[in-house]
Amino acid sequence: MTPPPYPVIRLRPNVEPRAIRHGAPWVFDNEIVTDRRTKALSAGTIALLEDADRAPLGLVAVNMASKIMARMMERDVSVAIDRAWLVARLTRAYEMRARMHDAPYYRLVHAEADGLPGVVIDRFDDIAVIQPNAAWAEAMLGDLVAAVQEVTGVGTVLKNAGGRARGLEGLDDQSAVLAGVAPEGPVPVPMNGAIYMADLLGGQKTGLFYDQRPNHAFAARLAKGARVLDMFSHVGGFSLAALAAGAEHALAVDGSDPALGLATQGAARMGLAERFETRRGDAFDVMEALAAEGAQFDVVICDPPAFAPSKQAMEKGLRAYERVARLAAPLVAPGGYLALCSCSHAADLSKFRAACTRGIGRAGRVGPLIHTGFAGPDHPLHANLAESGYLKALFYRL
């Protein structure tokens, strides 16, 4: 079957195509010839990208309203981008997750790294939550939902339209039930021996952060018999894993009452509510208050939101990470462990590590870095896209 003729867009004469030929997945608005014909392309249009000499580079999804004007979809320009293509991409992603995970709780699609640019899909057993953060995915949403159901067999598909990325693409913020029936309440998710309660309709992102799974597991190995402090805890990611591994007590701190409520529900489901405590408040204020109380813990974990979401915010963000480390270090008992996390892609590992180590030193503490963790393998890294390798977790013994 011959694929449909796609409109053509072209690189500017001064743009070197080598990076795109070698795997770069994005083409920016200052790299494409934007004549009247190109400007008329509707958001999400699939187009043939050529270099300035009219040599084909691949099929791209176009959005004239975005700084990322073209996202690479397919290097083979003879292919049709249709439902069958989506099924093939999803099957490849699904087969790897099914091999790695014993239960159907994982990130099914991690955007560019899984060949579906701008698309995030998390699976919660019979429910898939899609974040279509690129215009092409919004335009092909019906086919995408059908393909997800065909490949995985899930009965319910939800659309999460929250987050900054959709705004940058000029997309709306209207979440929806795309297939099946929405869950009546939070969904229990087993992970690392713990049970997490995920709010798939009103929670952050898709309802749960699967990316921290291996870091939760590493922290849990340190937690047997320990007193644990889980700062920026969300739904209890680190603290519930620690309790499942035999922690004596865990205190979860977050600014969100609903998130702490879900964490408490998770602890109750595990039968460990009596060893679990929550405290709502600003994390910096709570750490200062705990220090004033003379509180100390055997394991302290800090997993804040992205303080450096862009290059422009990097210096301010690094100061915030240093402050977290400075306030958290005094709360670690001698010989205890401090875990510091960042989900800011703009602050690379070396800068983040330097800020954390500086903060620990400013608190008058010292100790080796014993482990560096990253996102789990269901969040693969696109080798040509630094943004996909955003998560870092540093474990110190003080």
Side-chain angles (χ1 to χ4, degrees):
M1 179 177 161
T2 304
Y6 292 113
V8 175
I9 64 172
R10 199 163 288 128
L11 294 183
R12 293 183 178 184
N14 63 336
V15 176
E16 169 58 60
R18 187 180 307 159
I20 298 167
R21 291 192 190 282
H22 291 175
W26 292 349
V27 188
F28 293 93
D29 55 358
N30 62 352
E31 297 177 311
I32 294 173
V33 175
T34 51
D35 54 21
R36 184 182 303 171
R37 178 183 52 83
T38 307
K39 289 178 181 178
L41 295 176
S42 60
T45 295
I46 305 300
L48 172 62
L49 176 66
E50 296 180 342
D51 66 17
D53 297 323
R54 306 200 174 197
L57 295 169
L59 298 176
V60 294
V62 179
N63 186 356
M64 302 303 294
S66 173
K67 288 189 73 67
I68 305 170
M69 195 171 282
R71 296 173 185 263
M72 184 61 68
M73 300 285 284
E74 174 63 65
R75 303 280 166 177
D76 182 351
V77 299
S78 68
V79 168
I81 306 296
D82 55 14
R83 185 180 297 186
W85 182 88
L86 290 170
V87 167
R89 288 286 163 107
L90 284 162
T91 298
R92 180 178 171 86
Y94 170 71
E95 287 174 346
M96 185 178 79
R97 274 67 177 189
R99 182 181 293 268
M100 290 189 302
H101 296 285
D102 296 330
Y105 299 90
Y106 44 69
R107 172 147 296 181
L108 174 63
V109 169
H110 193 50
E112 277 76 359
D114 280 303
L116 291 168
V119 175
V120 167
I121 305 176
D122 282 349
R123 183 177 182 185
F124 301 87
D125 196 8
D126 191 45
I127 303 171
V129 182
I130 300 178
Q131 286 185 298
N133 293 333
W136 76 267
E138 194 74 25
M140 293 185 70
L141 196 53
D143 283 334
L144 183 58
V145 171
V148 168
Q149 290 191 291
E150 178 181 336
V151 171
T152 66
V154 299
T156 296
V157 181
L158 307 177
K159 172 187 173 182
N160 183 299
R164 177 171 169 263
R166 283 181 62 85
L168 296 175
E169 284 278 296
L171 302 173
D172 65 45
D173 59 356
Q174 300 302 305
S175 297
V177 180
L178 303 176
V181 179
E184 294 183 0
V187 173
V189 178
M191 190 163 61
N192 288 322
I195 297 175
Y196 298 94
M197 301 305 294
D199 181 356
L200 306 187
L201 296 173
Q204 291 185 45
K205 302 293 185 180
T206 62
L208 195 69
F209 297 109
Y210 282 132
D211 53 1
Q212 285 280 25
R213 186 189 324 238
N215 300 318
H216 292 162
F218 187 84
R221 290 167 61 187
L222 306 174
K224 187 172 183 179
R227 299 158 296 160
V228 176
L229 174 63
D230 183 6
M231 298 299 307
F232 310 92
S233 67
H234 189 228
V235 298
F238 282 96
S239 44
L240 296 186
L243 287 175
E248 176 186 298
H249 182 268
L251 171 60
V253 178
D254 199 88
S256 165
D257 268 332
L260 291 175
L262 291 169
T264 301
Q265 287 181 46
R269 283 227 177 196
M270 295 163 62
L272 299 173
E274 74 284 353
R275 285 154 53 191
F276 185 65
E277 184 184 348
T278 64
R279 188 159 170 172
R280 190 187 73 80
D282 174 82
F284 296 101
D285 292 343
V286 172
M287 284 192 285
E288 289 178 341
L290 287 169
E293 295 165 16
Q296 288 207 313
F297 303 84
D298 305 300
V299 180
V300 175
I301 306 108
C302 298
D303 184 18
F307 287 145
S310 64
K311 289 182 180 178
Q312 292 79 9
M314 185 174 66
E315 290 307 317
K316 183 179 179 181
L318 289 172
R319 288 195 296 272
Y321 287 124
E322 179 181 331
R323 186 182 175 206
V324 168
R326 178 173 59 81
L327 293 176
L331 302 176
V332 180
Y337 300 90
L338 174 62
L340 301 167
C341 306
S342 167
C343 57
S344 299
H345 71 82
D348 66 21
L349 176 60
S350 62
K351 289 185 175 68
F352 174 61
R353 187 172 55 218
C356 291
T357 303
R358 191 163 54 246
I360 291 168
R362 288 184 62 197
R365 302 300 296 274
V366 67
L369 176 64
I370 64 167
H371 177 70
T372 301
F374 302 96
D378 57 343
H379 291 63
L381 170 70
H382 189 296
N384 297 91
L385 191 64
E387 286 84 347
S388 64
Y390 59 95
L391 184 64
K392 289 87 61 179
L394 306 177
F395 291 81
Y396 295 82
R397 189 174 194 202
L398 302 189

